[in-house]
C-alpha cells in the first residue's frame, strides 16, 4: 500500500453506527473560466453531506505565491476572511463556514507560497539529506501532507478540497499533480474528482455549447485526472440529450452530469444540487451509505429569504464598493439578519470617497440604516466620518465595523468633544489628538503580513448596554483584523461627553465596543472586531439581527423624510 495511506490515514470512526475508514476525499477543480463557482459547490456539498450525518472538513488551495491573502488588494482578491485562530484566508472559507456551520482554521487554506516556504525551510535545515529538491516528489509530497493533516486534525469522515484557479493555469499544475497522486495513495475507492465547468451560450439565439466543457476535461486528463462528476454551470437546466453528449465525450456517467443552475440567492444552491443528485453520486463513488438528509432548517432559511414580509434599505459605506466581493461577509450577514426579521435587505452601495465633496444627505436620506465597513488607508476616511455624523445627528440606525468603529470615535471626538483635529495616527501621524493609535507592541513591527491583531479574542460586555442587550450574555468571542486601537488617553473625556464603552477586553485595557445611549439614539454601535465573520444563515449574528430590526422600525419615518426632501410621492 502507498506510503501516504500508511503514514496519514486516521483511525476508525463511526457515523450513525457505520464504520468509516479511512477518510474519504473529494477534490473539486474548475475549468473554462475563473470564478466558476467551485467554492459554492464545495460549501453546498459540505452542507448536503453534513445533513446526512457525516463529519466534513474543507480545504481551499490557492495557486498564488503569496503566503496568505493578508496583504492582497481587495480590488484584486476580494475579502480577506479571518479564521478563529487568526489566519488571513481566501473568501471561500467564509462560504464554507456559512454553509456547513463548521469553523475553519489555519489548516483550511493552503497557498503555493506557504508550500514553497515550508519546503525551502526544510531544505535549509537539511531535512532532505542533501537530495536535489524538486517539484516531484518534494513539493507534491508537502501538498499531500497538508491534505492528510486536515483529515488527521479534524477527524473528518470526508475532506472536500477545492483547487483554486482554472485547469490549464501553469501555477496550479503542482496541485493537480498532487491530487492525482492522492487517488493512488488513499485508494481509488476513497477519492472522487469533481470538475466544475461552464455551459456556454453564444449567438443571438443563445445556442447552447458544450465544447468548452469538453476541452476543459481534455486539459484535466492531460494532468492525469479523469473527473468522476461534472457540475455544469448553466442559465437553464441541461436537457437529457445534453447530458448524454457530455457523458459520451467526457467519459462520465449521465447521472454524474449535474446541472449547476443559476439561482436567485446562493442558499438555494444546496437544495438544487440535492435534487440533481450530487451528494448521492459522491456517496456512491465513495462506497458510503445513502443516508437521507435532514434539510428542514436549511429549507426554512431559504423560504424566509424567498418570501420576505417586508423590505429595508441599508447603506453600506465603504472604500472598495466597486468590487462587491470585498464585503461579501458583511453582505451575507445583512442577508442573515434580514431573514431573521423576515425581511429582504436591499443594499445601497455608497463609495465613501464620494461623500467627501458632497452632502451625504443625497446618498443617505431614504435608508433605514447605515453600515460603515472596515478597511485600511486614508482614502475615503473623511467620507466615512461624514456618513457617521449624518447617522448620529439624524438618529439613523448605525453599525460600524472595525475601521467603521474607529471613524465613529474620531467623529465623536471632533464634533461632540470639540477636538476638531482628532484623527487616527494611521491617517495623520501628526494629529494633536490621536484618539486612535498603535499599541506600543505594534510600533516596532516592520513586516505587514500576519502581524496585526488577528483571530478570536474575548470581550466582556457591560450589563445594561445595547451590546449586552443584543448578545444576552457577558462574555463573547469575536474575530479581529486590525493594527490600531482606541487610545485610552481619551477614554475619560469621551465618556464624560456621552460615549458609552460597552465592551472591553477582560483585563479592561482594550476598547472593543462603543455605543451611544438609547435615550439619545435608537441604535448606534461600533465594534473593533468583525462580527460578520461569525454570522451564519442558520445562526445570524445578534448584532446584525438587532441592527436590521431597528432599521425596519425606522424605515417608515425615514421614507416620510425622503418625500419632504425630494418632493416625490
Amino acid at each position: 500500500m502507498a506510503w501516504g495511506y500508511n503514514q496519514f490515514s486516521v483511525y476508525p470512526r463511526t457515523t450513525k453506527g457505520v464504520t468509516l475508514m479511512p477518510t474519504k476525499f473529494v477534490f473539486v477543480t474548475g475549468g473554462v473560466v475563473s470564478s466558476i463557482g467551485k467554492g459554492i459547490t464545495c460549501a453546498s456539498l459540505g452542507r448536503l453531506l453534513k445533513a446526512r450525518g457525516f463529519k466534513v472538513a474543507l480545504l481551499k488551495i490557492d495557486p498564488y505565491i503569496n503566503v496568505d491573502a493578508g496583504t492582497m488588494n481587495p480590488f484584486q482578491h476580494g475579502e480577506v476572511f479571518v479564521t478563529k485562530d487568526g489566519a488571513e484566508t481566501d473568501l471561500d472559507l467564509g462560504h464554507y463556514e456559512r454553509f456547513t456551520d463548521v469553523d475553519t482554521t489555519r489548516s483550511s487554506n493552503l497557498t503555493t507560497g506557504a508550500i514553497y516556504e515550508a519546503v525551502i525551510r526544510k531544505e535549509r535545515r537539511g531535512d532532505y539529506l542533501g537530495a536535489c529538491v524538486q517539484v516531484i516528489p518534494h513539493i507534491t509530497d508537502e501538498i499531500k501532507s497538508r491534505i492528510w493533516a486536515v483529515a488527521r486534525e479534524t477527524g473528518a469522515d470526508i475532506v472536500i478540497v477545492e483547487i483554486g484557479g482554472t485547469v490549464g493555469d501553469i501555477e496550479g499544475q503542482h496541485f493537480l499533480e498532487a491530487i492525482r497522486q492522492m487517488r493512488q495513495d488513499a485508494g481509488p475507492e476513497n477519492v472522487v474528482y469533481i470538475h466544475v465547468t461552464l455551459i456556454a451560450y453564444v449567438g443571438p439565439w443563445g445556442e447552447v455549447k458544450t465544447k468548452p466543457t469538453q476541452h476543459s476535461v481534455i486539459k484535466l486528463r492531460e494532468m492525469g485526472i479523469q473527473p468522476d462528476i461534472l457540475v455544469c454551470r448553466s442559465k437553464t437546466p441541461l436537457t437529457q440529450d445534453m447530458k448524454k453528449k457530455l457523458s459520451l465525450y467526457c467519459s462520465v456517467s449521465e447521472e454524474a452530469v449535474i446541472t449547476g443552475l443559476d439561482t436567485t440567492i446562493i442558499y438555494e444552491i444546496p437544495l438544487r444540487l440535492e435534487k440533481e443528485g450530487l451528494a448521492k453520486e459522491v456517496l456512491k463513488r465513495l462506497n458510503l451509505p445513502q443516508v437521507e438528509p435532514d434539510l428542514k432548517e436549511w429549507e426554512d432559511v431559504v423560504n424566509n429569504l424567498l418570501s420576505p414580509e417586508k423590505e429595508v434599505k441599508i447603506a453600506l459605506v465603504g472604500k472598495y464598493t466597486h468590487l462587491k466581493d470585498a464585503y461579501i461577509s458583511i453582505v451575507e450577514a445583512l442577508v442573515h439578519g434580514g431573514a431573521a426579521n423576515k425581511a429582504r435587505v436591499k443594499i445601497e452601495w455608497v463609495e465613501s470617497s464620494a461623500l467627501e465633496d458632497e452632502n451625504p444627505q443625497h446618498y443617505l436620506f431614504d435608508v433605514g440604516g447605515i453600515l460603515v465597513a472596515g478597511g485600511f488607508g486614508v482614502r475615503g476616511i473623511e467620507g466615512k466620518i461624514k456618513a457617521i455624523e449624518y447617522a448620529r445627528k439624524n438618529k439613523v440606525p448605525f453599525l460600524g465595523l472595525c475601521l467603521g468603529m474607529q471613524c465613529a470615535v474620531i467623529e465623536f471626538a471632533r464634533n461632540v468633544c470639540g477636538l476638531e483635529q482628532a484623527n487616527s495616527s494611521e491617517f495623520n501621524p501628526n494629529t494633536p489628538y490621536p484618539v486612535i493609535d498603535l499599541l506600543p507592541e505594534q510600533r516596532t513591527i516592520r513586516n505587514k503580513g500576519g502581524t496585526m491583531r488577528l483571530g478570536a479574542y474575548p470581550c466582556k460586555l457591560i450589563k445594561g448596554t445595547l451590546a449586552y442587550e443584543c448578545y444576552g450574555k457577558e462574555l463573547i468571542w469575536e474575530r479581529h483584523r486590525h493594527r490600531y486601537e482606541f487610545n485610552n488617553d481619551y477614554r475619560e473625556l469621551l465618556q464624560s461627553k456621552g460615549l458609552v464603552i460597552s465592551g472591553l477586553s477582560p483585563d479592561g485595557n482594550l476598547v472593543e465596543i462603543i455605543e451611544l445611549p438609547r435615550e439619545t439614539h435608537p441604535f448606534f454601535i461600533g465594534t473593533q472586531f468583525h462580527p460578520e465573520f461569525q454570522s451564519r444563515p442558520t445562526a445570524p449574528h445578534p448584532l446584525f439581527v438587532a441592527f436590521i430590526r431597528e432599521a425596519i422600525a425606522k424605515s417608515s419615518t425615514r421614507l416620510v423624510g425622503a418625500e419632504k426632501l425630494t418632493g416625490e410621492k
Side-chain angles (χ1 to χ4, degrees):
M1 200 166 290
W3 70 269
Y5 181 91
N6 288 332
Q7 184 176 356
F8 296 111
S9 60
V10 294
Y11 45 82
R13 304 170 310 284
T14 60
T15 296
K16 295 189 175 181
V18 179
T19 299
L20 298 176
M21 180 181 179
T23 299
K24 309 284 186 173
F25 297 92
V26 178
F27 296 102
V28 180
T29 57
V32 184
V33 295
S34 60
S35 301
I36 191 67
K38 300 184 299 296
I40 296 294
T41 300
C42 291
S44 298
L45 178 60
R47 164 54 62 174
L48 297 178
L49 294 173
K50 186 182 177 185
R52 288 167 161 81
F54 296 102
K55 185 175 183 180
V56 298
L58 292 103
L59 167 62
K60 172 66 185 293
I61 293 179
D62 281 304
Y64 47 73
I65 299 176
N66 305 64
V67 173
D68 60 36
T71 59
M72 297 176 73
N73 190 324
F75 283 122
Q76 293 182 353
H77 190 68
E79 172 187 84
V80 174
F81 186 82
V82 178
T83 61
K84 63 181 181 181
D85 59 350
E88 295 175 286
T89 70
D90 185 84
L91 61 83
D92 277 326
L93 272 70
H95 292 312
Y96 299 166
E97 291 200 7
R98 288 187 286 271
F99 277 65
T100 66
D101 201 22
V102 174
D103 286 338
T104 56
T105 66
R106 189 173 303 276
S107 299
S108 305
N109 197 198
L110 182 60
T111 70
T112 292
I115 290 294
Y116 273 82
E117 182 182 55
V119 169
I120 290 171
R121 284 177 177 172
K122 289 180 179 180
E123 185 274 331
R124 292 289 85 187
R125 289 197 305 263
D127 292 5
Y128 298 119
L129 303 177
C132 177
V133 180
Q134 298 176 295
V135 173
I136 302 173
H138 301 98
I139 295 297
T140 51
D141 281 357
E142 184 68 25
I143 295 167
K144 290 188 296 181
S145 74
R146 300 296 184 95
I147 296 171
W148 283 108
V150 171
R152 186 175 62 252
E153 292 168 9
T154 63
D157 303 319
I158 303 169
V159 177
I160 302 171
V161 182
E162 176 190 351
I163 310 299
T166 306
V167 169
D169 295 344
I170 191 170
E171 60 263 31
Q173 290 183 1
H174 50 300
F175 291 120
L176 294 177
E177 170 59 21
I179 68 170
R180 182 197 68 79
Q181 295 177 19
M182 283 292 295
R183 174 162 272 179
Q184 180 178 347
D185 291 349
E189 71 281 3
N190 298 318
V191 171
V192 164
Y193 298 114
I194 298 176
H195 192 51
V196 184
T197 182
L198 178 69
I199 300 299
Y201 294 79
V202 299
W205 314 115
E207 186 178 359
V208 179
K209 294 292 184 181
T210 63
K211 191 65 71 176
T213 291
Q214 294 175 41
H215 280 283
S216 183
V217 171
I218 290 170
K219 200 68 181 175
L220 191 58
R221 284 175 180 161
E222 290 176 1
M223 298 300 301
I225 299 173
Q226 167 61 48
D228 301 296
I229 299 170
L230 295 179
V231 175
C232 303
R233 287 292 307 276
S234 176
K235 296 178 182 178
T236 59
L238 298 181
T239 65
Q240 201 59 41
D241 285 343
M242 291 163 61
K243 289 190 174 186
K244 285 182 179 179
K245 186 175 182 180
L246 287 167
S247 171
L248 175 64
Y249 286 103
C250 298
S251 298
V252 299
S253 67
E254 291 182 33
E255 295 77 16
V257 180
I258 306 295
T259 302
L261 203 63
D262 292 348
T263 59
T264 304
I265 56 171
I266 60 172
Y267 301 113
E268 285 185 88
I269 294 174
L271 303 180
R272 295 285 183 90
L273 292 179
E274 174 63 22
K275 289 181 180 178
E276 282 286 308
L278 175 61
K280 290 180 180 179
E281 281 298 310
V282 169
L283 294 175
K284 180 174 71 176
R285 291 167 191 282
L286 293 176
N287 294 318
L288 292 173
Q290 294 288 351
V291 183
E292 284 299 311
D294 180 4
L295 292 167
K296 177 64 168 60
E297 184 181 28
W298 198 260
E299 290 169 347
D300 289 343
V301 170
V302 172
N303 287 335
N304 282 342
L305 289 170
L306 291 176
S307 304
E309 296 176 358
K310 41 195 170 291
E311 181 177 279
V312 61
K313 183 187 288 188
I314 301 295
L316 199 165
V317 182
K319 292 155 59 81
Y320 318 113
T321 57
H322 297 300
L323 180 65
K324 308 299 188 288
D325 275 358
Y327 300 111
I328 193 164
S329 287
I330 294 176
V331 170
E332 296 307 319
L334 288 170
V335 170
H336 307 160
N341 287 284
K342 296 185 178 181
R344 176 185 292 112
V345 175
K346 182 179 179 182
I347 296 177
E348 185 78 14
W349 294 91
V350 180
E351 180 65 30
S352 58
S353 299
L355 299 177
E356 294 184 341
D357 299 319
E358 297 187 50
N359 187 339
Q361 182 174 255
H362 295 308
Y363 293 88
L364 305 173
F365 68 90
D366 64 342
V367 300
I370 297 171
L371 187 151
V372 176
F376 297 91
V378 70
R379 183 183 63 83
I381 292 302
E382 294 302 322
K384 289 189 174 188
I385 291 171
K386 287 175 70 173
I388 293 166
E389 181 182 15
Y390 179 90
R392 180 178 59 82
K393 289 183 173 179
N394 291 278
K395 295 183 170 35
V396 181
F398 166 78
L399 180 60
L401 307 180
C402 197
L403 180 59
M405 173 266 207
Q406 295 178 359
C407 288
V409 172
I410 295 169
E411 191 278 328
F412 192 88
R414 288 180 183 179
N415 299 320
V416 178
C417 300
L419 307 178
E420 294 183 4
Q421 298 181 61
N423 215 324
S424 166
S425 59
E426 177 185 5
F427 313 133
N428 180 8
N430 300 316
T431 175
Y433 309 115
V435 292
I436 303 295
D437 200 5
L438 280 173
L439 291 176
E441 57 265 31
Q442 287 281 342
R443 297 184 188 279
T444 58
I445 290 175
R446 294 295 176 263
N447 291 334
K448 297 297 184 183
T451 57
M452 293 184 282
R453 186 147 76 102
L454 294 165
Y457 286 83
C459 172
K460 189 175 181 180
L461 303 181
I462 309 301
K463 290 184 178 180
T465 62
L466 173 60
Y468 185 89
E469 178 186 323
C470 292
Y471 282 95
K473 56 184 177 181
E474 189 172 3
L475 186 65
I476 61 171
W477 286 78
E478 292 283 3
R479 301 183 196 180
H480 292 248
R481 184 177 183 248
H482 59 96
R483 199 178 305 278
Y484 289 77
E485 303 274 358
F486 185 105
N487 188 341
N488 286 327
D489 291 344
Y490 295 90
R491 187 189 291 192
E492 184 177 344
L493 171 61
L494 270 62
Q495 285 182 301
S496 70
K497 295 294 186 178
L499 189 73
V500 176
I501 295 174
S502 53
L504 293 162
S505 58
D507 63 4
N509 187 48
L510 300 175
V511 173
E512 297 279 22
I513 309 177
I514 61 98
E515 59 185 66
L516 294 179
R518 292 299 295 271
E519 57 268 23
T520 64
H521 198 287
F523 190 100
F524 190 104
I525 193 164
T527 68
Q528 183 59 86
F529 48 80
H530 290 267
E532 69 270 20
F533 289 149
Q534 296 196 114
S535 187
R536 317 279 169 81
T538 54
H541 195 283
L543 287 181
F544 282 87
V545 174
F547 174 57
I548 296 298
R549 181 171 60 243
E550 195 63 39
I552 292 169
K554 297 297 178 182
S555 286
S556 58
T557 56
R558 298 304 304 166
L559 287 172
V560 169
E563 291 173 359
K564 291 179 179 178
L565 177 70
T566 64
E568 297 174 358
K569 297 293 182 181

mmCIF file of all heavy atoms in Angstrom, residues 188-201:
data_model
loop_
_atom_site.group_PDB
_atom_site.id
_atom_site.type_symbol
_atom_site.label_atom_id
_atom_site.label_comp_id
_atom_site.label_asym_id
_atom_site.label_seq_id
_atom_site.Cartn_x
_atom_site.Cartn_y
_atom_site.Cartn_z
ATOM 1 N N PRO A 188 -8.372 4.118 -4.732
ATOM 2 C CA PRO A 188 -9.358 4.681 -5.672
ATOM 3 C C PRO A 188 -10.771 4.753 -5.106
ATOM 4 O O PRO A 188 -11.562 5.597 -5.533
ATOM 5 C CB PRO A 188 -9.284 3.726 -6.875
ATOM 6 C CG PRO A 188 -8.656 2.478 -6.350
ATOM 7 C CD PRO A 188 -7.735 2.899 -5.260
ATOM 8 N N GLU A 189 -11.097 3.890 -4.128
ATOM 9 C CA GLU A 189 -12.447 3.904 -3.559
ATOM 10 C C GLU A 189 -12.625 5.030 -2.545
ATOM 11 O O GLU A 189 -13.738 5.235 -2.033
ATOM 12 C CB GLU A 189 -12.744 2.563 -2.891
ATOM 13 C CG GLU A 189 -11.982 2.295 -1.599
ATOM 14 C CD GLU A 189 -10.528 1.848 -1.810
ATOM 15 O OE1 GLU A 189 -10.074 1.799 -2.969
ATOM 16 O OE2 GLU A 189 -9.848 1.564 -0.801
ATOM 17 N N ASN A 190 -11.544 5.771 -2.270
ATOM 18 C CA ASN A 190 -11.601 6.822 -1.250
ATOM 19 C C ASN A 190 -11.432 8.221 -1.821
ATOM 20 O O ASN A 190 -11.301 9.184 -1.061
ATOM 21 C CB ASN A 190 -10.517 6.576 -0.194
ATOM 22 C CG ASN A 190 -10.706 5.269 0.537
ATOM 23 O OD1 ASN A 190 -11.824 4.908 0.897
ATOM 24 N ND2 ASN A 190 -9.626 4.533 0.746
ATOM 25 N N VAL A 191 -11.431 8.350 -3.142
ATOM 26 C CA VAL A 191 -11.210 9.651 -3.784
ATOM 27 C C VAL A 191 -12.216 9.865 -4.907
ATOM 28 O O VAL A 191 -12.473 8.953 -5.705
ATOM 29 C CB VAL A 191 -9.777 9.750 -4.353
ATOM 30 C CG1 VAL A 191 -9.622 11.002 -5.205
ATOM 31 C CG2 VAL A 191 -8.750 9.750 -3.221
ATOM 32 N N VAL A 192 -12.784 11.059 -4.939
ATOM 33 C CA VAL A 192 -13.683 11.463 -6.021
ATOM 34 C C VAL A 192 -13.191 12.793 -6.579
ATOM 35 O O VAL A 192 -12.820 13.692 -5.816
ATOM 36 C CB VAL A 192 -15.143 11.593 -5.527
ATOM 37 C CG1 VAL A 192 -15.994 12.380 -6.515
ATOM 38 C CG2 VAL A 192 -15.766 10.228 -5.302
ATOM 39 N N TYR A 193 -13.219 12.899 -7.910
ATOM 40 C CA TYR A 193 -12.859 14.155 -8.577
ATOM 41 C C TYR A 193 -14.119 14.782 -9.170
ATOM 42 O O TYR A 193 -14.831 14.148 -9.963
ATOM 43 C CB TYR A 193 -11.855 13.912 -9.694
ATOM 44 C CG TYR A 193 -10.538 13.335 -9.245
ATOM 45 C CD1 TYR A 193 -10.144 12.060 -9.631
ATOM 46 C CD2 TYR A 193 -9.663 14.075 -8.451
ATOM 47 C CE1 TYR A 193 -8.929 11.519 -9.228
ATOM 48 C CE2 TYR A 193 -8.445 13.554 -8.037
ATOM 49 C CZ TYR A 193 -8.088 12.269 -8.429
ATOM 50 O OH TYR A 193 -6.888 11.753 -8.025
ATOM 51 N N ILE A 194 -14.385 16.040 -8.788
ATOM 52 C CA ILE A 194 -15.499 16.806 -9.341
ATOM 53 C C ILE A 194 -14.919 17.958 -10.155
ATOM 54 O O ILE A 194 -14.016 18.667 -9.681
ATOM 55 C CB ILE A 194 -16.417 17.356 -8.235
ATOM 56 C CG1 ILE A 194 -17.056 16.208 -7.439
ATOM 57 C CG2 ILE A 194 -17.499 18.259 -8.825
ATOM 58 C CD1 ILE A 194 -17.911 16.685 -6.272
ATOM 59 N N HIS A 195 -15.434 18.149 -11.354
ATOM 60 C CA HIS A 195 -14.974 19.256 -12.198
ATOM 61 C C HIS A 195 -16.141 20.210 -12.426
ATOM 62 O O HIS A 195 -17.199 19.811 -12.945
ATOM 63 C CB HIS A 195 -14.470 18.715 -13.536
ATOM 64 C CG HIS A 195 -13.719 19.718 -14.357
ATOM 65 N ND1 HIS A 195 -12.675 20.467 -13.855
ATOM 66 C CD2 HIS A 195 -13.862 20.112 -15.652
ATOM 67 C CE1 HIS A 195 -12.199 21.257 -14.800
ATOM 68 N NE2 HIS A 195 -12.908 21.073 -15.899
ATOM 69 N N VAL A 196 -15.964 21.466 -12.003
ATOM 70 C CA VAL A 196 -16.982 22.498 -12.191
ATOM 71 C C VAL A 196 -16.640 23.263 -13.455
ATOM 72 O O VAL A 196 -15.530 23.785 -13.602
ATOM 73 C CB VAL A 196 -17.046 23.455 -10.986
ATOM 74 C CG1 VAL A 196 -18.185 24.451 -11.161
ATOM 75 C CG2 VAL A 196 -17.225 22.668 -9.695
ATOM 76 N N THR A 197 -17.597 23.345 -14.362
ATOM 77 C CA THR A 197 -17.303 23.912 -15.675
ATOM 78 C C THR A 197 -18.480 24.736 -16.175
ATOM 79 O O THR A 197 -19.527 24.817 -15.522
ATOM 80 C CB THR A 197 -16.965 22.772 -16.662
ATOM 81 O OG1 THR A 197 -16.640 23.326 -17.926
ATOM 82 C CG2 THR A 197 -18.125 21.809 -16.813
ATOM 83 N N LEU A 198 -18.300 25.353 -17.346
ATOM 84 C CA LEU A 198 -19.289 26.301 -17.866
ATOM 85 C C LEU A 198 -19.959 25.763 -19.116
ATOM 86 O O LEU A 198 -19.293 25.273 -20.029
ATOM 87 C CB LEU A 198 -18.602 27.630 -18.189
ATOM 88 C CG LEU A 198 -19.487 28.735 -18.783
ATOM 89 C CD1 LEU A 198 -20.464 29.244 -17.730
ATOM 90 C CD2 LEU A 198 -18.634 29.867 -19.315
ATOM 91 N N ILE A 199 -21.262 25.873 -19.150
ATOM 92 C CA ILE A 199 -22.030 25.641 -20.382
ATOM 93 C C ILE A 199 -22.219 26.999 -21.039
ATOM 94 O O ILE A 199 -22.861 27.890 -20.480
ATOM 95 C CB ILE A 199 -23.386 24.971 -20.085
ATOM 96 C CG1 ILE A 199 -23.173 23.615 -19.401
ATOM 97 C CG2 ILE A 199 -24.194 24.814 -21.363
ATOM 98 C CD1 ILE A 199 -22.386 22.619 -20.224
ATOM 99 N N ALA A 200 -21.646 27.146 -22.231
ATOM 100 C CA ALA A 200 -21.640 28.448 -22.896
ATOM 101 C C ALA A 200 -22.911 28.670 -23.708
ATOM 102 O O ALA A 200 -23.509 27.719 -24.228
ATOM 103 C CB ALA A 200 -20.416 28.557 -23.798
ATOM 104 N N TYR A 201 -23.305 29.929 -23.819
ATOM 105 C CA TYR A 201 -24.450 30.342 -24.641
ATOM 106 C C TYR A 201 -23.938 31.389 -25.619
ATOM 107 O O TYR A 201 -23.444 32.446 -25.213
ATOM 108 C CB TYR A 201 -25.568 30.916 -23.764
ATOM 109 C CG TYR A 201 -26.197 29.891 -22.855
ATOM 110 C CD1 TYR A 201 -25.570 29.511 -21.669
ATOM 111 C CD2 TYR A 201 -27.405 29.281 -23.187
ATOM 112 C CE1 TYR A 201 -26.132 28.557 -20.832
ATOM 113 C CE2 TYR A 201 -27.972 28.322 -22.354
ATOM 114 C CZ TYR A 201 -27.330 27.971 -21.181
ATOM 115 O OH TYR A 201 -27.884 27.009 -20.367
#
